[in-house]
Amino acid sequence: MDRQQDNTQAKHLKRGFGWNRFSDISDASDEEKRVLKRIIHDYPDLKNYCRFFEARRRSIIVMAGLEGEDTTFLNAEKLKELLALPINEDDKRKLYAYFDANTKIMALEMGMEGLPEGRYKEIAFDKYFKKLTYIQLMEKHGVSRETVHRALNRANSYLLRYVKWYLGLLPKDKM
């Protein structure tokens, strides 16, 4: 009897751990909500653009000695240096877009990694990275539409912190 009670308590703790500390999604500005929705929607395209840029403009990356987090707005000084080089305007736009795409990818992936373990995280991963529909999510996880909706709202509330971080990193002068 005690063992069964312990298992019930452990399941209850695991199920709810961490999610209550997230703020309400209504606390975010409309711009932050739009940016989050856009990043989630554009995630596959952002990844493809980065692969394209790395393949087609490899010389710029090698010349600048860029890798990993160096290609985000966390390294805005390096971006300014690169944009000051005598390269054509099209390459400058593409380089800026590459840094922007990498920063957006980092914000979304870091946010998703930070979600508390459990079903809500799995639902969010399946929705945002595997692009499953509500019906597919309901069938895969054996939950109701309301549970899927609740999981995504809570994940979004958490991800909005990373959107605020991303917006704070954006260069004010667009270089």
Side-chain angles (χ1 to χ4, degrees):
M1 179 69 174
D2 287 335
R3 186 175 179 186
Q4 187 176 18
Q5 186 177 6
D6 288 343
N7 284 342
T8 304
Q9 288 175 347
K11 285 180 185 176
H12 176 71
L13 287 174
K14 184 177 180 186
R15 190 178 118 224
F17 176 73
W19 288 100
N20 292 336
R21 70 177 186 261
F22 297 154
S23 59
D24 186 13
I25 197 166
S26 62
D27 295 341
S29 71
D30 288 340
E31 178 190 12
E32 291 165 347
K33 291 176 189 175
R34 270 193 311 276
V35 169
L36 175 61
K37 187 176 182 178
R38 192 90 231 149
I39 290 172
I40 291 168
H41 178 269
D42 292 347
Y43 179 77
D45 294 333
L46 294 169
K47 295 287 273 190
N48 287 335
Y49 180 77
C50 289
R51 281 192 289 272
F52 165 79
F53 187 86
E54 290 163 359
R56 299 291 178 150
R57 300 291 192 246
R58 187 79 188 139
S59 60
I60 294 173
I61 294 170
V62 170
M63 173 192 68
L66 298 172
E67 52 184 85
E69 289 182 8
D70 288 346
T71 57
T72 66
F73 290 142
L74 291 173
N75 196 2
E77 290 305 313
K78 187 65 156 182
L79 179 60
K80 282 182 183 180
E81 289 174 23
L82 290 171
L83 293 177
L85 293 174
I87 55 177
N88 69 39
E89 289 302 313
D90 188 46
D91 281 345
K92 287 182 181 183
R93 271 193 307 280
K94 289 177 182 172
L95 182 62
Y96 184 87
Y98 175 66
F99 270 70
D100 186 47
N102 271 327
T103 307
K104 288 176 181 176
I105 290 167
M106 178 195 289
L108 181 61
E109 289 177 350
M110 285 175 56
M112 292 297 285
E113 288 173 13
L115 290 172
E117 294 298 323
R119 183 175 286 165
Y120 283 3
K121 182 176 183 172
E122 293 169 10
I123 290 171
F125 261 89
D126 287 343
K127 179 67 176 164
Y128 298 149
F129 293 141
K130 295 180 181 176
K131 300 295 184 188
L132 298 182
T133 66
Y134 263 70
I135 293 172
Q136 291 169 325
L137 290 168
M138 290 166 32
E139 290 172 358
K140 179 177 180 181
H141 297 282
V143 296
S144 68
R145 184 174 195 79
E146 182 58 34
T147 300
V148 170
H149 182 72
R150 187 178 325 112
L152 296 177
N153 275 342
R154 290 205 178 159
N156 287 349
S157 294
Y158 183 72
L159 293 173
L160 283 166
R161 295 176 185 183
Y162 288 86
V163 167
K164 288 178 186 178
W165 172 78
Y166 161 75
L167 290 172
L169 285 177
L170 279 175
K172 304 302 179 230
D173 58 0
K174 293 274 187 182
M175 313 251 173

